[in-house]
């Protein structure tokens, strides 16, 4: 893959590139908590985007999307959104750098990889973080990783028009081999937990559906959470977000809530508690207990937060019935994408077969499954490797 991307770069631009990789992510638990200043527990995975890049001495970005086999040039003196979807992730990053007064000189770029698009594995965050990392390296800006994460998130807000939280970009930049990372999305403190699951595997089951509700409902959920916070602020002025809210506060003021908003807020508060407990499970090495929290998270996302869909529920239910699985739940924004499953290695093939058969029978769709390995965040790819 990386070899092909480098070869295409040389063919198109006739120079030697620098090569950067940036991964997609999974999230073990802590869903729809990031924009509520709560906790998440993601990891970077071996589904990655590669960037072959070099300065070109002009004021133009000449970009080639390897997987789509499409090229386009963009002036860097007047950067704005375009109707070319893939280019917006790149231009969004350039715009953020320029806003922060970094000079972005012209460059040539070929990028592509194996992060499935629309599967909820954050291919867009991988693209944004990868380009930020690559330009930071190329032009020696000296930008800290966290600042690149924030720029990548802003690029998503302003150029992809998705009001995402910080989790995906954080995971892509801060991933660590065989570790999950708990991020406090308020203080931005983070802690790595070893995730050496020798006898288990993280298996992603890709529904291959993406319901059109996804982004509008995402923004609606954000508003519903804010509505809940506003109600409680009248009683507890110190509250800033659902992170500061307890289940007791909610139940005391339930009568003032619209029932839907009440369920949304309850879910978020419970999910934050689950992340903290799940991290304690990890510390004790109790993966059974950890898995139970994943199942509970799915139930909350399905019934209270209502961001699941029949296909995800079907796969989560099947996984719950299987003795090969410690825990399973929908992952990411919802309304499609993947479930994440903790599966016993000894029963991996059996699990994959059973899930594939069941999904085929129910929806007539051939399930895609991925075994995710946990890798490091965005990095340079050593040249000898890229030359191979
Ligand atoms: C999407 C967003 C993230 C996060 C998840 C839900 O992946 O990009 O910021 O909100 O949904 O946990």
């Amino acid at each position: 893959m990386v070899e092909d991307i480098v070869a295409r770069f040389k063919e198109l631009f006739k120079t030697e590139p620098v090569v950067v990789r940036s991964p997609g992510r999974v999230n073990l638990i802590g869903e729809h908590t990031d924009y509520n200043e709560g906790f998440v527990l993601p990891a970077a995975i071996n589904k990655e985007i590669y960037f072959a890049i070099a300065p070109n001495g002009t004021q133009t970005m000449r970009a080639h999307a390897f997987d789509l086999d499409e090229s386009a040039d963009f002036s860097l003196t007047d950067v704005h959104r375009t109707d070319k979807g893939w280019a917006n992730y790149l231009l969004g990053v350039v715009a953020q750098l320029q806003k922060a007064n970094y000079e972005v000189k012209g460059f040539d770029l070929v990028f592509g990889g194996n992060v499935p698009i629309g599967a909820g594995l954050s291919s867009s965050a991988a693209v944004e973080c990868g380009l930020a990392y690559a330009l930071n390296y190329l032009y020696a800006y000296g930008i800290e990783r966290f600042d690149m994460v924030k720029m990548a998130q802003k690029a998503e807000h302003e150029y992809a028009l998705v009001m995402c939280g910080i989790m995906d970009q954080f995971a892509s930049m801060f991933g660590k081999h065989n570790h999950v990372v708990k991020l406090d999305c308020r203080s931005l403190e983070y802690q790595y937990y070893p995730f050496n699951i020798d006898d288990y595997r993280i298996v992603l089951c890709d529904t291959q559906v993406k319901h059109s509700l996804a982004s509008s409902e995402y923004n609606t959920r954000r508003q519903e959470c804010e509505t809940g916070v506003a109600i409680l602020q009248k009683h507890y002025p110190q509250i800033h977000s659902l992170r500061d809210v307890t289940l007791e506060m909610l139940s005391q003021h339930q009568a003032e809530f619209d029932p839907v908003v009440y369920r949304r807020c309850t879910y978020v508060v419970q999910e934050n508690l689950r992340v903290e407990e799940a991290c304690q499970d990890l510390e004790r090495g109790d993966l059974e207990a950890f898995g139970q929290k994943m199942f509970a998270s799915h139930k909350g996302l399905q019934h209270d937060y209502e961001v699941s869909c029949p296909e995800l529920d079907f796969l989560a239910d099947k996984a719950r019935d299987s003795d090969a699985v410690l825990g399973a739940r929908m992952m990411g924004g919802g309304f499609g994408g993947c479930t994440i499953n903790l599966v016993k290695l000894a029963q991996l093939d059996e699990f994959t077969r059973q899930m594939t058969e069941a999904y085929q029978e129910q929806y007539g769709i051939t399930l895609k499954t991925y075994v995710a390995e946990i890798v490091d965040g965005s990095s340079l790819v050593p040249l000898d490797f890229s030359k191979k």
Side-chain angles (χ1 to χ4, degrees):
M1 159 86 58
V2 61
E3 292 85 350
D4 298 337
I5 287 169
V6 171
R8 180 73 56 85
F9 183 95
K10 290 182 182 167
E11 186 187 312
L12 289 174
F13 302 117
K14 321 277 181 234
T15 57
E16 283 288 328
V18 161
V19 182
V20 162
R21 53 167 277 286
S22 198
R25 62 103 185 89
V26 291
N27 185 26
L28 273 300
I29 195 160
E31 216 65 85
H32 286 275
T33 46
D34 60 354
Y35 54 82
N36 287 302
E37 297 190 325
F39 299 107
V40 292
L41 194 66
I45 60 166
N46 60 338
K47 296 280 170 200
E48 300 167 308
I49 309 278
Y50 291 96
F51 299 76
I53 188 166
N56 63 15
T58 71
Q59 289 193 309
T60 302
M61 162 173 101
R62 298 190 295 195
H64 179 78
F66 183 84
D67 304 315
L68 304 172
D69 195 19
E70 255 183 61
S71 295
D73 294 358
F74 299 92
S75 164
L76 297 178
T77 56
D78 176 25
V79 173
H80 48 78
R81 286 188 75 230
T82 75
D83 46 18
K84 243 190 202 341
W86 59 265
N88 280 328
Y89 301 107
L90 306 171
L91 292 167
V93 169
V94 171
Q96 291 307 317
L97 288 166
Q98 291 179 335
K99 261 195 202 176
N101 287 325
Y102 293 102
E103 190 193 355
V104 185
K105 296 189 199 127
F107 59 92
D108 295 332
L109 169 70
V110 177
F111 75 103
N114 60 2
V115 191
I117 297 192
L121 304 183
S122 299
S123 54
S124 58
V127 171
E128 293 149 0
C129 290
L131 185 67
Y133 189 99
L135 291 175
N136 188 42
Y137 177 82
L138 215 57
Y139 295 128
Y141 298 136
I143 307 173
E144 299 285 337
R145 267 184 200 253
F146 247 122
D147 293 327
M148 289 194 273
V149 166
K150 288 181 195 158
M151 286 179 176
Q153 182 193 14
K154 273 256 173 236
E156 182 91 20
H157 289 182
E158 292 174 14
Y159 275 65
L161 306 185
V162 178
M163 293 307 293
C164 62
I166 201 170
M167 169 171 73
D168 304 344
Q169 290 79 9
F170 170 80
S172 187
M173 275 280 180
F174 280 84
K176 182 170 167 177
H177 178 65
N178 282 349
H179 288 72
V180 292
V181 47
K182 178 186 178 200
L183 174 68
D184 177 336
C185 299
R186 175 155 64 188
S187 68
L188 299 186
E189 280 166 14
Y190 58 96
Q191 187 182 346
Y192 292 106
Y193 290 82
F195 206 69
N196 297 322
I197 48 169
D198 297 339
D199 300 334
Y200 302 93
R201 287 295 174 272
I202 296 172
V203 184
L204 305 171
C205 292
D206 184 353
T207 59
Q208 288 160 93
V209 299
K210 189 85 209 163
H211 295 291
S212 56
L213 297 167
S215 56
S216 64
E217 288 294 313
Y218 187 89
N219 292 337
T220 308
R221 291 300 173 283
R222 287 192 76 133
Q223 281 160 14
E224 288 165 340
C225 293
E226 282 164 25
T227 304
V229 170
I231 294 170
L232 289 175
Q233 269 169 342
K234 289 188 222 140
H235 306 282
Y236 311 96
Q238 75 280 13
I239 283 174
H240 185 255
S241 66
L242 286 179
R243 165 67 178 280
D244 305 312
V245 171
T246 62
L247 293 173
E248 292 72 38
M249 290 176 185
L250 279 169
S251 63
Q252 258 176 26
H253 298 280
Q254 181 166 7
E256 296 157 54
F257 277 76
D258 168 276
V260 171
V261 171
Y262 189 77
R263 277 189 282 125
R264 305 292 191 251
C265 295
T266 306
Y267 161 77
V268 172
V269 175
Q270 287 172 338
E271 182 77 347
N272 275 328
L273 294 170
R274 272 192 290 268
V275 179
E276 300 214 80
E277 286 166 12
C279 288
Q280 290 161 14
D281 295 338
L282 282 186
E283 276 168 10
R284 286 199 314 276
D286 189 350
L287 276 185
E288 299 268 349
F290 186 93
Q292 290 301 318
K293 311 244 162 26
M294 294 173 75
F295 286 132
S297 168
H298 184 84
K299 284 286 171 211
L301 289 159
Q302 179 180 357
H303 298 297
D304 295 332
Y305 215 64
E306 294 181 289
V307 290
S308 190
C309 63
E311 294 86 350
L312 287 167
D313 294 337
F314 177 82
L315 291 175
D317 286 345
K318 278 277 156 217
R320 201 177 305 109
D321 291 344
S322 161
D323 64 359
V325 181
L326 290 190
R329 56 181 208 84
M330 58 147 278
M331 190 178 74
F335 301 100
C338 291
T339 59
I340 177 169
N341 304 262
L342 268 190
V343 180
K344 293 176 187 157
L345 177 56
Q347 287 167 267
L348 182 59
D349 292 343
E350 183 192 329
F351 168 77
T352 311
R353 187 173 41 75
Q354 281 172 352
M355 296 298 277
T356 307
E357 277 171 16
Y359 198 65
Q360 182 76 44
E361 193 176 313
Q362 181 77 12
Y363 292 105
I365 302 176
T366 308
L367 188 70
K368 281 192 183 149
T369 60
Y370 314 105
V371 177
E373 284 163 32
I374 301 182
V375 302
D376 285 335
S378 315
S379 69
L380 215 56
V381 177
L383 217 65
D384 53 340
F385 175 58
S386 63
K387 269 184 184 161
K388 255 194 238 163

